[in-house]
């Protein structure tokens, strides 16, 4: 068996990685395919934020309750608290990228949201894309680089998706099952 086959037997799946790489779309797809509830960390995070200020205590309380469930798909990052997901998941799906590709994907998404062609969770149209791009370059890339060596400990249950072509290939394989 391979990892795609293993997905059909998994009860706990963690999906995480670079912004604007397809995590949410894939999370919804696999949730529907496997009939396992999807929990979006972005939705939970922003539910407990007020005026852009995060409430980590409320977020962590809900996050811990999800981790105790028998089945879940958790989509999103919250990389500061990823250790528990790495340990408890049957399958890990890491959406890898490069900083440049991530920024290009973000710019494309931003233009679609501004034009009204796409909705994006908690997208603040007044926020300049430059701020998010700087965040991706300076903060997020550092978190991903710290995560990479940790993922070596989980190779037996890790699927890495590097680009949209690989994502589409995996979706095709899942649809053929």
């Amino acid at each position: 068996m391979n990892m795609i086959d293993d997905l059909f037997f998994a009860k706990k799946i963690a999906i995480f990685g670079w912004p604007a790489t397809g995590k949410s779309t894939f999370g919804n797809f696999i949730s529907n395919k496997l009939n396992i509830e999807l929990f979006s960390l972005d939705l939970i995070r922003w539910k407990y934020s007020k005026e852009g200020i995060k409430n980590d205590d409320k977020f962590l309380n809900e996050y811990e309750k999800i981790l105790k469930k028998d089945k879940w798909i958790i989509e999103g990052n919250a990389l500061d608290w990823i250790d528990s997901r790495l340990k408890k998941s049957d399958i890990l799906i890491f959406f890898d990228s490069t900083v440049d590709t991530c920024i290009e994907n973000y710019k494309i998404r931003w233009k679609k949201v501004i034009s009204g062609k796409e909705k994006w969770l908690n997208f603040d149209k007044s926020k300049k894309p430059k701020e998010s791009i700087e965040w991706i370059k300076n903060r997020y890339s550092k978190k991903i680089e710290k995560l990479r060596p940790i993922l070596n400990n989980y190779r037996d249950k890790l699927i890495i998706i590097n680009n949209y072509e690989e994502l589409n290939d995996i979706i095709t394989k899942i649809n053929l099952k």
Side-chain angles (χ1 to χ4, degrees):
M1 270 204 297
N2 63 38
M3 292 275 205
I4 301 302
D5 292 331
D6 292 346
L7 269 173
F8 288 92
F9 299 99
K11 293 182 178 179
K12 298 178 180 182
I13 301 170
I15 302 169
F16 54 95
W18 287 89
T21 53
K23 297 181 309 292
S24 298
T25 301
F26 186 73
N28 282 303
F29 167 77
I30 202 73
S31 173
N32 290 328
K33 200 72 171 169
L34 301 178
N35 197 28
I36 298 176
E37 187 173 3
L38 173 67
F39 297 93
S40 169
L41 295 181
D42 284 345
L43 284 174
I44 296 166
R45 194 87 201 237
W46 288 104
K47 177 170 71 173
Y48 295 120
S49 72
K50 184 176 182 182
E51 298 172 6
I53 300 170
K54 297 173 184 171
N55 185 324
D56 287 343
D57 291 336
K58 288 183 178 179
F59 168 80
L60 286 171
N61 186 21
E62 188 164 343
Y63 178 63
E64 291 298 325
K65 286 179 184 175
I66 294 165
L67 289 173
K68 291 177 183 174
K69 292 179 178 278
D70 291 333
K71 290 183 175 186
W72 44 254
I73 297 172
I74 298 176
E75 175 276 317
N77 290 317
L79 295 178
D80 295 334
W81 300 284
I82 198 167
D83 288 345
S84 52
R85 273 177 283 152
L86 295 176
K87 292 174 185 166
K88 293 182 183 225
S89 295
D90 300 317
I91 295 285
L92 302 167
I93 303 171
F94 176 46
F95 279 70
D96 201 359
S97 184
T98 65
V99 173
D100 292 337
T101 300
C102 180
I103 289 169
E104 287 308 309
N105 292 345
Y106 175 81
K107 287 177 183 177
I108 292 165
R109 179 178 278 173
W110 191 83
K111 287 177 186 175
K112 288 179 181 177
V113 171
I114 292 300
S115 69
K117 293 179 182 174
E118 183 178 312
K119 289 186 179 182
W120 195 5
L121 173 68
N122 301 310
F123 188 82
D124 181 357
K125 289 183 181 182
S126 67
K127 191 174 184 181
K128 305 286 187 236
K130 185 177 179 181
E131 295 170 36
S132 293
I133 290 168
E134 289 304 314
W135 174 80
I136 291 167
K137 282 182 183 176
N138 299 320
R139 292 190 61 224
Y140 201 81
S141 60
K142 289 177 184 165
K143 288 184 179 201
I144 291 287
E145 290 312 312
K146 286 181 183 177
L147 176 63
R148 286 182 197 282
I150 296 167
L151 292 178
N152 287 328
N153 299 321
Y154 299 96
R155 288 178 184 242
D156 60 324
K157 60 181 182 177
L158 177 65
I159 297 171
I160 299 174
I161 300 173
N162 293 296
N163 53 51
Y164 289 136
E165 292 80 23
E166 289 181 13
L167 176 59
N168 288 330
D169 184 47
I170 288 172
I171 289 171
T172 300
K173 288 177 183 175
I174 290 170
N175 278 328
L176 293 174
K177 299 283 179 193

